[in-house]
Amino acid sequence: MNPDRDGLTYAVATLLAVTAVVDALAAAAAWSVRGLFLGPLADHPDPAGFGDLDLAAAGALQCLLMPVTAVFLVVLLRRRRAGAGWWAGLGVVALVTAGGTWAYVSADTVAGLVTGSGLLAAADLLNALVAVLASVLVLRPTSMQGPKTTGMIPAAQ
């Protein structure tokens, strides 16, 4: 057994895979709501109340899953001493998600709701992509972790 792949590694990889699926479903829900605002609800006097159910369900799943995944991922990355480039990527995703959420929640016109739901869909797709890339990172040890954990550090040249 690879000493770098323990139960925590597989738990994080599984949580990240589930996160990617939930984010893809949330993106589909946001895109569906966008379609409603572009189609049948385009002329409705109060369209804001119609699209929230799918988005609320997807958001609830994300709110339950993401903190758990984040805690396990942080523990694993701290244990592996992963680089700061990774943390910058997570920060960008958080900013895009916050911007999309703010645009959707603060919208009071159909055009604003279309823009906000489109931004939410993009943020969720970006989050799904980051979860997939993180899963690959978690399952693939860095070049120094493999030799360090097996005791086979190459001789100095």
Side-chain angles (χ1 to χ4, degrees):
M1 179 175 164
N2 184 343
D4 201 42
R5 290 195 181 169
D6 57 2
L8 179 62
T9 301
Y10 290 116
V12 170
T14 302
L15 284 168
L16 287 167
V18 172
T19 298
V21 170
V22 168
D23 286 334
L25 292 173
W31 197 255
S32 173
V33 167
R34 184 179 185 275
L36 284 174
F37 293 139
L38 287 173
L41 296 179
D43 295 329
H44 196 277
D46 184 26
F50 284 94
D52 289 338
L53 186 59
D54 288 342
L55 289 177
L61 281 174
Q62 288 175 312
C63 287
L64 290 173
L65 185 61
M66 292 225 187
V68 173
T69 304
V71 168
F72 278 90
L73 182 61
V74 166
V75 169
L76 183 67
L77 292 179
R78 280 187 55 94
R79 189 174 77 184
R80 288 190 178 180
R81 292 173 174 75
W86 179 248
W87 297 106
L90 291 176
V92 168
V93 170
L95 288 174
V96 171
T97 302
T101 302
W102 178 83
Y104 182 79
V105 170
S106 66
D108 56 356
T109 64
V110 171
L113 291 168
V114 168
T115 301
S117 58
L119 288 173
L120 280 177
D124 288 332
L125 285 177
L126 181 62
N127 205 20
L129 176 65
V130 168
V132 168
L133 293 175
S135 182
V136 170
L137 172 78
V138 163
L139 290 174
R140 185 184 61 95
T142 64
S143 60
M144 289 303 289
Q145 286 169 332
K148 281 183 182 177
T149 57
T150 61
M152 300 179 69
I153 299 175
Q157 297 179 357

